[in-house]
Amino acid sequence: MTAPTLTLTSGTTIPALGLGTWPMDDADVATAVETAIGAGYRLIDTAENYGNEAGVGEGVRRSGIDRGEVFLTTKFNEKWHSYDGVRRAFEASAARLGVEYIDLFLAHWPRPAFGGFVDAVRGLVALREEGLIRAVGVSNFKPAHLQAVLDSGLVPDVNQIKRDPRNPRRAELAFHAEHGILTEAYTPLGKAGDLLAEPAITQAAQAHGRTPAQVVLRWHTQTGALPIPKSADPGRIAENITIFDFELTSEEIAGIDALDSGDADVADSDVVGH
Ligand SMILES: NC(=O)C1=CN([C@@H]2O[C@H](COP(=O)(O)OP(=O)(O)OC[C@H]3O[C@@H](n4cnc5c(N)ncnc54)[C@H](OP(=O)(O)O)[C@@H]3O)[C@@H](O)[C@H]2O)C=CC1
Ligand SMILES: O=C(O)C(=O)[C@@H](O)[C@H](O)C(=O)CO
């Protein structure tokens, strides 16, 4: 199954679900990416920090798909947080991936103590204007970090944050929506722990003849986020994208919404990151 597309604020289209690739190494990720593309995935998420961009590029090439058919996302670390640094980060990531352009390039963490994230976004916008990247992204940015970017007249296309039914991040999603920023959800399955045994999820799964993971991923897409589940298993890779042919009811969504722990289990991006 292929995911439908969404349109980003800058006009670029993006598949509505992607494959996460951390912590796969180059060899494992090449196999997973080739499998995922065969299963219909068109969005792959990687990062400089994962050390597997070369494997992602290899998987895309092995799949035989045209470069233009796949939406490649990668992220750069704090050491590149300056206007010119972002260009060098782009050149390094593009070389490892073996591509001429990157679809979505993200500042992986804001690292406010370093003081360069606004300049980094400015550098990303310049790369987008030159056609070297198609969309501008950030990750783990709090609304306050985004506000500093917005105050500089810059609007990222995407903020990738941790999100699952116990951590629905409603305030962040509302802020993103207000400013035309798409929310990507990382760790969307809560790492497939006991979340998947929650009755609100298993009951919906039973009602639709689906798995709990499919229900959680469908919840993400029906509540305004783009999930990037990681799997290295061919069966689960296919399972995770087969979610666009059923619809959760508003009662089922409300039941899953009620799993909100009220105390987001999220790393403090004023302090941690890379
Ligand atoms: N921007 C950031 O700072 C961060 C970004 N990320 C990105 O988000 C991606 C996803 O997040 P991640 O933390 O991996 O967590 P996920 O919530 O995607 O969970 C991944 C785990 O769930 C298992 N799994 C996958 N599908 C299923 C299924 N259908 N049924 C049961 N188990 C399943 C996987 O095992 P198996 O492989 O065996 O299927 C793996 O153990 C990362 O790979 C990375 O690309 C992650 C963390 C931080
Ligand atoms: O997975 C990510 O994107 C992260 O930022 C970290 O959670 C992860 O631990 C990492 O990048 C390790 O290299």
Side-chain angles (χ1 to χ4, degrees):
M1 176 173 286
T2 302
T5 56
L6 306 171
T7 302
L8 298 172
T9 216
S10 62
T12 298
T13 57
I14 182 171
L17 179 141
L19 180 75
T21 66
W22 187 79
M24 289 187 258
D25 64 16
D26 277 325
D28 289 346
V29 87
T31 302
V33 166
E34 182 183 8
T35 302
I37 290 172
Y41 286 71
R42 293 294 178 268
L43 190 171
I44 312 294
D45 181 83
T46 180
E48 169 188 18
N49 212 55
Y50 302 169
N52 65 12
E53 290 168 307
V56 167
E58 174 63 19
V60 172
R61 285 186 293 279
R62 268 195 225 159
S63 78
I65 200 169
D66 284 346
R67 164 70 186 95
E69 297 298 312
V70 63
F71 190 101
L72 291 177
T73 299
T74 191
K75 321 183 189 81
F76 58 88
N77 287 343
E78 73 177 23
K79 69 177 177 181
W80 307 110
H81 278 201
S82 65
Y83 183 83
D84 293 328
V86 167
R87 185 172 299 269
R88 295 197 297 278
F90 163 81
E91 287 164 357
S93 280
R96 287 188 293 266
L97 286 161
V99 296
E100 301 291 317
Y101 69 92
I102 290 168
D103 294 277
L104 171 63
F105 203 27
L106 306 132
H108 202 149
W109 291 85
R111 306 303 281 154
F114 195 79
F117 68 77
V118 172
D119 285 338
V121 176
R122 207 184 305 283
L124 285 170
V125 170
L127 294 179
R128 187 178 62 196
E129 284 167 0
E130 293 173 44
L132 294 172
I133 66 172
R134 295 176 65 213
V136 167
V138 297
S139 178
N140 298 296
F141 275 40
K142 297 181 181 183
H145 305 132
L146 289 171
Q147 192 61 59
V149 172
L150 295 165
D151 287 347
S152 304
L154 306 164
V155 185
D157 290 291
V158 168
N159 187 19
Q160 184 182 115
I161 59 172
K162 188 178 180 197
R163 179 180 197 251
D164 67 67
R166 289 178 177 154
N167 305 284
R169 315 297 303 273
R170 291 205 181 84
E172 288 85 351
L173 257 72
F175 186 89
H176 297 168
E178 183 186 344
H179 296 286
I181 300 167
L182 176 73
T183 305
E184 281 193 344
Y186 77 69
T187 317
L189 299 171
K191 295 202 181 284
D194 60 6
L195 171 71
L196 298 185
E198 288 282 2
I201 293 169
T202 57
Q203 284 162 14
Q206 202 168 12
H208 292 276
R210 301 289 166 149
T211 66
Q214 288 174 317
V215 165
V216 171
L217 295 170
R218 191 66 182 133
W219 170 84
H220 279 288
T221 65
Q222 286 186 230
T223 55
L226 186 164
I228 49 165
K230 173 264 173 184
S231 183
D233 174 81
R236 289 188 287 278
I237 287 173
E239 173 186 332
N240 291 346
I241 199 169
T242 311
I243 64 160
F244 297 102
D245 55 353
F246 76 105
E247 188 108 359
L248 297 170
T249 65
S250 51
E251 291 79 15
E252 288 165 342
I253 295 278
I256 299 169
D257 282 347
L259 298 175
D260 183 355
S261 66
D263 181 20
D265 173 21
V266 175
D268 183 355
S269 61
D270 275 320
V271 180
V272 303
H274 39 73

